[in-house]
Amino acid sequence: MNDMVMKMESEHWFTVGRLSEIPRRGARQIILPRGPIAVFRTQNDKVYAIDDKCPHKGGPLSQGIVHDGSVTCPLHNWVIDLQSGSAMGTDQGCVRTYAVRTDENGLVSVSLAAPSE
Amino acid sequence: MSKKLVVIGNGMAPGRALERLLDQAPEAYEITIFNAEPRVNYDRIMLSPVLSGEKTYQDILIHDDAWYEKHGITLKKGCKVTAIDCAGKTVTGADGSVAAYDKLLIATGSAPFIIPVPGKDLEGVLAYRDLDDVEAMLAAAEKGGSAVVIGGGLLGLEAAAGLKERGMDVTVLHLMPTLMERQLDTAAGYLLERAIEARGIKVVTGANTHEIVGDGKVEAVRLDDGTEIPADIVVMAVGIRPNAGLAKEAGLEVNRGIVVDDAMQTSDPDIFAVGECVEHRGHCYGLVAPLYEMAKVVAERLLDKEAGYEGSVTSTRLKVTGIDLFSAGDFAEGKDREEIVLRDAAGGIYKRLVVRDDKLIGIVLYGDTRDGAWFFQLMKDETPIGEMRETLIFGQNYAGGSPLDPTAAVAALPDDAEICGCNGVCKSSIVGAITEHGLTSIDGVRARTKASASCGSCTGLVEQLMSLTLGEGFTPGAVQPMCGCTDLGHDDVRRLIVAKELKSIPAVMQELEWKTSCGCAKCRPALNFYLIADWPGEYQDDYQSRFINERVHANIQKDGTYSVVPRMWGGMTSSAELRAIADVVDKFGIPTVKVTGGQRIDLLGVPKENLPAVWADLNAAGMVSGHAYAKGLRTVKTCVGTDWCRFGTQDSTGLGVKLEKMLWGSWTPHKVKLAVSGCPRNCAEATCKDIGVVCVDSGYEIHVGGAAGMHVKGTELLCTVPTEEEALEYCAAITQLYREQGRYLERIYKWMDRVGLDAIREQVVEDEARRTALFEKFLYSQRFAQRDPWAERVAGTDSHEFTPLNRIAAREAAE
C-alpha cells in the first residue's frame, strides 16, 4: 500500500477537474488516500495546490477566505501564501505545495510528484 | 533564376514579412500569394474605427494593387488553398490551379470561435474578424434596432462601441463576472464596465448564452436564466482559434496551432508559418506586435540569414474612443511579488504595477495610460526599478512630490452628499458652517450643524472635511483603519458607501482607494455586510467574501466537521421534531447531540458532504436553519409565561416566537441573541441578551446591550411599551439601527458603549418618525433575507461546496 502511494507520488500528473468547477477566490478539495489537498483559484485565475492542512492546528485551508495569492485559515486566521505554502506575518510554519497546470481546455492537473519550487 | 515562394494568406503578418524580404532582396523570389479574402492587405486592427465611422476602408489599406504589381507578385484574390503537397512541393487552389514552391509560407491566420448554441447558424449571427463582418454590421446598423454582442473582451467591446456609435441599441453579454478579465483585474474591470455603461451600452456579466432564438433570422438571445434579449444581429466575439486545418491535412505538426521553432520553421524545413496560425513555444498570439516580430524572423530566414524568434511579451490597449486602458504582462499574485497600486477616485484612474525581484512584470493602467509605453519598456528590458520604486507609479515625468492625500475621497464628494445620516447634514452645509462661523473644533461643528452629534459614526468624515477646509490648521483625531488595505475606519467606509452609492465590493475598493487589489479576510466580509445592509434587494451577496460558516450554513469544528442546529422557534419543539432529529442522528451516525444555551439542539460532528442530506431530512420534518453560525439573529429564548407559569404576566413564549419569526434571516454586524421573560423573575435571562424583553403587568420592558460572552454585562433599560405590537416594532427598530451603525464584528453592547444609550433612545424612543422609518427599512430588507438557506442548498445551490473536486484512490494511483 505504501509502495503504491509512493509510486503515484513520484510519477504522476493527475487531471483533477475543470478550472470552471473551482470558484474564483475559492478552493476545492482533492481527496487522496493519505488526506485531502486543496486546489485554489485566485481572482486572476492562478491555480495553486497545497495540503489541505494548516501548519498551525490542521485547519482545512480549502474552507478559508482567498485574497490575492493567499488564504486565511478558517480556524484561527493564519494567513498562508499559496505559492510557497508558508505562513505570512509573524506566524511560522509551512504547508506542502504541489505543481499545478491548466491546459487550453481548462483542465486542471496536479503533480503528485516532488513539491514545486 | 530566382526561387519560388508561395504564401498562403494575405494578412498583416505575411505582408510585413514580404516587405522586409523585398527591402533586402527584391529579386530573391518569384512570389505567389493565395488570398481567401477578395482583397489586398489591410490593417485588421483598424476594423473598429471603420465600424465606428472614424476611418474608411481606403484609410486602412496597407498594400494596394499597385504595390503587388510593382513587386511582380502574383496575388490570387478570393482563391482559397485546398491542399498542400509537401513531397511534391506544390499547393492547389480552389480554382484548380497548382503552384510549385521552393519555400512555402503559411499564414492562414485564425478563425473566430463560434459558441455551439442552438441558433448559431441563423441569419444575422456574425463574427468580428474581417471587413465582410464589418460590412454586414454596418448594413444592419443602417436599419437601426438592437444588437447583442456575446463576449466582453477586447473585440467584443470594440464591436459594441462601434455599433452603438452607429445608432443601435447594444447589449454586451459576458460569461465572467468582470469585463476583459484576462487583461484586467476586478477594479479596472469595474471602471471599464461603468465607462461602457455610461455610453448607453447595457452590460450583463455572468451571462451564459443558452440559445439564439429566431425563425430563419435572429430575433433574440436567451440566457440560461431564461432572460430574453431582443436582437436584430448577434455578434460573437468570444475568442479565436488558429487556422491550422490545412497544415494538419498536409501532415505538418499541429497542436493548437501550427508548431514552429525559433526559426519559424514548421516540421517541414521548406515550410515556414507566421502569424495567428502558429504555435511557438506553446503560445498562440492574437495581437499584432508579436506577429510583426515573427515576420521579421521569417524574412531573414527566407534569405538564409541568422535570426530567431524567442516569444513576445504582449500588451493590450482597448481601441474605444474616450476609454483609456492598457495592460501587459502577468498580474497574478504571489508571495514573491509585490504590487504598487494607485487609485484616484475623483479622476477615475487606476494603476497597478506588479513587481518581482526588483523588476516590473505586470502592468494595468486605466484612465491614464500615458506612461504605458514607458512601463512596458521597463518590463521588456527587465530594468531594475530599485532607485525609482518610490515614485514609479507616478510615471516617467514624476520627480519628487508630496504623498497621496488621505482626504481625496472626501474631497471628491459632491456638495449635496449626505455626511451625517442621523441628522441629514450634507457636505456643503458643513463646509459652509466651518467657513462662515470660523469653526475650528469638532464640537463647534456639532453645535452648529448637528453633524456627528448623534451616533458619531461620521466623525471621521467631518474631521476630514475640516482638514480640507482649514488646511494644516486642523489635525483630525486618529482613526483606526478597517484593516491594512485602507486608511479609512469602518464608519467612514460605511458613510461613503451610502454617500457615493457604492454597490459592489470592486466599486468600494476603487472609489475609496483600497491599497490592495483583492482586499483581505478582514475587510471583505465587513464590506459584504455593509453592502447587504445598505442596499437590500440590489446588492448581490459576494459568496467568496463570507466566512466558511456563512458559506455552508453550519459551524466548522476543530476537526473540520460541522455542527447543525435547526431552528426551534422561541425554544418550542414537538415530538415530531424530536423524532426527526433522533432519526437523523441514527441515519448519519452523528456522534454528539447537545442542548445549547439558546434552547435548541446541536448536532455535532457532521462531515461537510453529509450536510445537504441531513438538512433534507430536517426540512422534511418542517425544520429550517437556526443560523447558529451567522452574524445575524441566533435565538430568542423564552420562559413559559402566562401559558403555564403562576407568576407570568404576559404571553412571553408567544412574543418570543413572533420576534423570532420577524427577525430570522437578517444579517447584522455580529451575532444577535434575544430573550423574553414573562415576569421580572427573568427565567429566560433576558437582561444579559443583546435585546431583552421583560414582561410586566403594565406591558413590556425593552432592554438593550447585555452580553454573556467574553464580557458579562447586564442590559440597560431603554423604555417600557404597553403593547406587544410596539414591543415587536421597537426590537426591529433597534436591530435596524444597529445594522446601520454597528461596525462589523462589534456586538450590540459595544456599539451602545460607543454611541451611548441616549443616542439610541433619541432615535428609537423619542423620534417616532425615525423609529417607523427604521422599522419599515428592516421589514423591507427582510423581504430579501428570509429564505431558508438549507432548503436552497438541498435544492442544489452551491453544490460545489459539498463535494470534493476529485478523489484519487490508492489503487487507481498505482496503475
Side-chain angles (χ1 to χ4, degrees):
Chain A
M1 169 78 179
N2 256 343
D3 281 345
M4 288 195 284
V5 175
M6 287 293 292
K7 179 166 185 274
M8 161 183 97
E9 294 192 352
S10 60
E11 289 177 9
H12 283 68
W13 279 90
F14 280 86
T15 300
V16 294
R18 301 195 156 273
L19 183 65
S20 58
E21 294 174 292
I22 310 169
R24 281 220 168 106
R25 296 175 300 159
R28 297 286 299 274
Q29 275 187 331
I30 310 294
I31 309 290
L32 294 182
R34 58 167 173 73
I37 62 177
V39 183
F40 290 85
R41 177 183 180 192
T42 71
Q43 179 66 41
N44 299 322
D45 286 345
K46 285 279 158 177
V47 182
Y48 301 98
I50 61 177
D51 271 342
D52 195 12
K53 203 172 174 194
C54 182
H56 176 217
K57 298 213 168 171
L61 295 167
S62 59
Q63 320 289 295
I65 289 182
V66 180
H67 42 97
D68 293 340
S70 46
V71 61
T72 297
C73 177
L75 292 194
H76 308 96
N77 295 328
W78 274 37
V79 180
I80 307 295
D81 176 63
L82 294 174
Q83 193 178 30
S84 64
S86 52
M88 298 173 77
T90 51
D91 295 322
Q92 293 289 324
C94 198
V95 45
R96 181 171 169 185
T97 63
Y98 302 85
V100 198
R101 64 187 183 200
T102 309
D103 72 10
E104 70 265 28
N105 297 315
L107 286 175
V108 177
S109 308
V110 175
S111 163
L112 297 174
S116 61
E117 325 70 39
Chain B
M1 190 56 220
S2 55
K3 289 186 283 182
K4 289 192 172 63
L5 171 66
V6 171
V7 184
I8 307 176
N10 194 30
M12 298 171 73
R16 175 60 63 97
L18 290 181
E19 264 178 22
R20 294 197 68 101
L21 178 71
L22 294 167
D23 272 357
Q24 298 182 61
E27 307 295 332
Y29 285 98
E30 186 187 323
I31 302 168
T32 305
I33 304 175
F34 284 82
N35 187 15
E37 258 190 274
R39 297 193 181 81
V40 290
N41 179 22
Y42 62 91
D43 188 347
R44 264 165 223 273
I45 309 181
M46 288 301 179
L47 284 177
S48 291
V50 173
L51 178 61
S52 64
E54 289 164 50
K55 287 209 173 7
T56 66
Y57 173 58
Q58 288 306 321
D59 294 336
I60 68 167
L61 280 186
I62 297 176
H63 299 138
D64 56 13
D65 287 309
W67 184 84
Y68 295 94
E69 211 166 299
K70 180 178 144 202
H71 292 99
I73 297 171
T74 312
L75 173 60
K76 296 169 83 78
K77 287 188 207 169
C79 183
K80 208 170 142 86
V81 169
T82 52
I84 303 169
D85 175 2
C86 299
K89 292 184 130 188
T90 60
V91 302
T92 308
D95 60 354
S97 63
V98 175
Y101 66 80
D102 294 300
K103 299 282 178 193
L104 177 66
L105 177 58
I106 305 179
T108 41
S110 62
F113 180 63
I114 300 293
I115 47 173
V117 289
K120 70 179 165 56
D121 299 319
L122 287 173
E123 190 194 328
V125 179
L126 304 169
Y128 185 29
R129 199 64 205 132
D130 55 29
L131 209 57
D132 289 336
D133 295 324
V134 171
E135 275 165 6
M137 283 188 228
L138 290 177
E142 253 173 44
K143 291 181 227 144
S146 2
V148 168
V149 177
I150 303 178
L154 201 65
L155 271 183
L157 294 177
E158 290 185 7
L163 290 168
K164 181 73 199 172
E165 205 69 23
R166 293 286 186 174
M168 296 192 87
D169 272 336
V170 184
T171 307
V172 174
L173 304 178
H174 191 53
L175 187 60
M176 291 308 196
T178 53
L179 297 175
M180 286 182 70
E181 76 288 342
R182 282 168 59 195
Q183 290 89 9
L184 300 181
D185 55 14
T186 36
Y190 154 76
L191 284 170
L192 177 61
E193 187 172 332
R194 235 180 31 169
I196 296 286
E197 284 176 337
R199 302 172 156 244
I201 297 169
K202 273 184 247 109
V203 178
V204 186
T205 52
N208 207 351
T209 305
H210 189 80
E211 183 181 358
I212 300 172
V213 191
D215 184 7
K217 191 186 170 316
V218 172
E219 284 160 24
V221 174
R222 187 180 301 140
L223 304 182
D224 270 356
D225 65 4
T227 316
E228 246 182 54
I229 302 158
D232 298 299
I233 56 167
V234 172
V235 179
M236 288 224 198
V238 289
I240 53 170
R241 291 267 165 96
N243 262 337
L246 187 67
K248 194 169 187 176
E249 282 164 28
L252 298 177
E253 189 189 343
V254 168
N255 267 335
R256 238 187 325 158
I258 304 167
V259 177
V260 294
D261 60 12
D262 288 2
M264 304 308 296
Q265 239 157 1
T266 65
S267 53
D268 179 328
D270 287 323
I271 304 181
F272 292 87
V274 70
E276 289 178 343
C277 60
V278 311
E279 177 177 326
H280 173 263
R281 298 191 187 176
H283 286 281
C284 294
Y285 294 96
L287 297 165
V288 73
L291 309 192
Y292 280 174
E293 288 171 37
M294 292 178 198
K296 196 167 136 186
V297 174
V298 166
E300 302 293 308
R301 286 289 177 163
L302 282 169
L303 297 171
D304 292 323
K305 294 188 186 169
E306 272 307 302
Y309 175 67
E310 297 179 339
S312 299
V313 184
T314 56
S315 68
T316 309
R317 243 176 224 281
L318 183 68
K319 286 175 299 303
V320 172
T321 316
I323 300 179
D324 293 325
L325 185 58
F326 178 93
S327 89
D330 174 3
F331 36 86
E333 325 81 358
K335 196 180 189 179
D336 58 343
R337 291 139 189 241
E338 293 166 85
E339 52 180 27
I340 308 174
V341 177
L342 170 77
R343 299 178 193 255
D344 173 358
I349 290 168
Y350 170 81
K351 300 182 184 184
R352 177 162 166 231
L353 302 177
V354 183
V355 177
R356 186 178 59 201
D357 299 334
D358 203 33
K359 283 170 198 136
L360 203 50
I361 60 162
I363 309 161
V364 181
L365 304 176
Y366 185 95
D368 174 7
T369 56
R370 281 172 298 181
D371 288 308
W374 182 65
F375 286 134
F376 191 50
Q377 201 58 45
L378 290 179
M379 188 171 102
K380 283 203 292 192
D381 296 348
E382 302 186 4
T383 312
I385 53 146
E387 291 285 295
M388 43 186 172
R389 196 196 150 98
E390 292 285 295
T391 59
L392 184 66
I393 191 118
F394 301 109
Q396 191 172 13
N397 293 330
Y398 187 85
S402 55
L404 289 178
D405 182 359
T407 60
V410 181
L413 284 176
D415 281 348
D416 60 355
E418 189 183 80
I419 301 291
C420 173
C422 299
N423 298 302
V425 191
C426 69
K427 177 179 165 184
S428 61
S429 326
I430 298 171
V431 173
I434 297 170
T435 335
E436 195 179 326
H437 303 286
L439 307 176
T440 52
S441 72
I442 187 86
D443 286 333
V445 174
R446 281 184 187 139
R448 279 282 166 191
T449 66
K450 286 211 77 189
S452 139
S454 294
C455 79
S457 68
C458 61
T459 307
L461 289 191
V462 174
E463 287 183 334
Q464 288 195 17
L465 278 178
M466 296 183 70
S467 299
L468 265 179
T469 317
L470 301 171
E472 287 176 12
F474 178 79
T475 321
V479 177
Q480 177 74 36
M482 258 179 88
C483 63
C485 305
T486 177
D487 293 326
L488 295 168
H490 282 267
D491 300 332
D492 293 351
V493 170
R494 288 212 77 169
R495 293 296 313 142
L496 289 165
I497 284 174
V498 178
K500 295 175 80 100
E501 297 193 15
L502 306 177
K503 296 185 182 177
S504 71
I505 289 180
V508 173
M509 291 184 174
Q510 171 58 27
E511 297 287 342
L512 305 188
E513 308 187 345
W514 239 241
K515 292 185 275 186
T516 53
S517 57
C518 192
C520 69
K522 277 195 187 119
C523 59
R524 285 232 312 271
L527 292 178
N528 192 49
F529 164 71
Y530 294 154
L531 290 163
I532 281 182
D534 290 334
W535 310 111
E538 282 186 78
Y539 173 65
Q540 189 85 39
D541 192 280
D542 182 24
Y543 183 77
Q544 296 300 347
S545 290
R546 285 190 175 274
F547 184 64
I548 183 66
N549 289 359
E550 291 185 355
R551 286 210 306 273
V552 301
H553 296 275
N555 295 56
I556 194 166
Q557 303 297 320
K558 60 180 277 189
D559 62 352
T561 64
Y562 288 82
S563 80
V564 170
V565 185
R567 203 167 275 292
M568 287 181 175
W569 305 97
M572 299 293 287
T573 185
S574 66
S575 60
E577 284 187 354
L578 292 173
R579 203 169 284 122
I581 289 173
D583 287 344
V584 162
V585 170
D586 288 345
K587 180 171 167 187
F588 295 95
I590 293 171
T592 301
V593 183
K594 168 93 179 67
V595 175
T596 73
Q599 299 186 332
R600 45 197 194 171
I601 291 174
D602 195 352
L603 311 176
L604 294 124
V606 182
K608 198 179 175 194
E609 308 88 271
N610 285 353
L611 288 171
V614 167
W615 296 335
D617 285 5
L618 294 171
N619 275 165
M623 281 175 278
V624 296
S625 167
H627 290 86
Y629 47 81
K631 306 283 178 261
L633 178 83
R634 298 283 176 89
T635 62
V636 181
K637 196 170 169 180
T638 64
C639 67
V640 293
T642 44
D643 273 359
W644 297 93
C645 178
R646 63 201 164 103
F647 299 112
T649 63
Q650 311 281 357
D651 176 15
S652 54
T653 322
L655 176 56
V657 172
K658 282 180 194 156
L659 277 168
E660 194 162 346
K661 296 254 177 191
M662 176 177 70
L663 297 171
W664 77 271
S666 63
W667 300 107
T668 45
H670 207 302
K671 61 185 172 184
V672 173
K673 296 176 174 178
L674 274 70
V676 186
S677 285
C679 78
R681 285 172 190 77
N682 195 16
C683 294
E685 298 160 355
T687 52
C688 64
K689 296 288 181 268
D690 295 288
I691 304 174
V693 179
V694 178
C695 303
V696 290
D697 277 331
S698 61
Y700 304 82
E701 289 176 2
I702 311 287
H703 295 254
V704 261
M710 200 133 57
H711 300 97
V712 180
K713 205 171 158 294
T715 49
E716 306 267 358
L717 177 62
L718 185 73
C719 61
T720 305
V721 295
T723 66
E724 195 179 72
E725 286 69 42
E726 285 164 295
L728 285 163
E729 182 181 324
Y730 278 62
C731 289
I734 296 165
T735 308
Q736 180 62 21
L737 194 61
Y738 169 53
R739 278 161 50 88
E740 290 177 16
Q741 296 182 350
R743 297 172 185 164
Y744 193 65
L745 299 186
E746 180 177 61
R747 288 289 294 271
I748 283 194
Y749 75 95
K750 288 198 173 164
W751 162 64
M752 189 176 82
D753 283 350
R754 179 161 61 82
V755 305
L757 179 64
D758 286 343
I760 299 174
R761 188 175 282 134
E762 228 171 72
Q763 298 185 71
V764 173
V765 183
E766 288 158 17
D767 184 346
E768 193 189 330
R770 174 86 172 128
R771 177 179 65 248
T772 312
L774 286 167
F775 181 50
E776 280 167 5
K777 253 162 118 178
F778 182 77
L779 294 185
Y780 177 73
S781 42
Q782 284 296 79
R783 284 169 43 186
F784 309 98
Q786 289 196 320
R787 294 195 184 109
D788 176 30
W790 290 357
E792 287 179 340
R793 276 146 194 83
V794 169
T797 304
D798 298 334
S799 55
H800 69 271
E801 272 294 354
F802 305 101
T803 45
L805 182 61
N806 210 326
R807 286 173 196 277
I808 299 172
R811 201 161 16 89
E812 182 188 345
E815 277 166 8

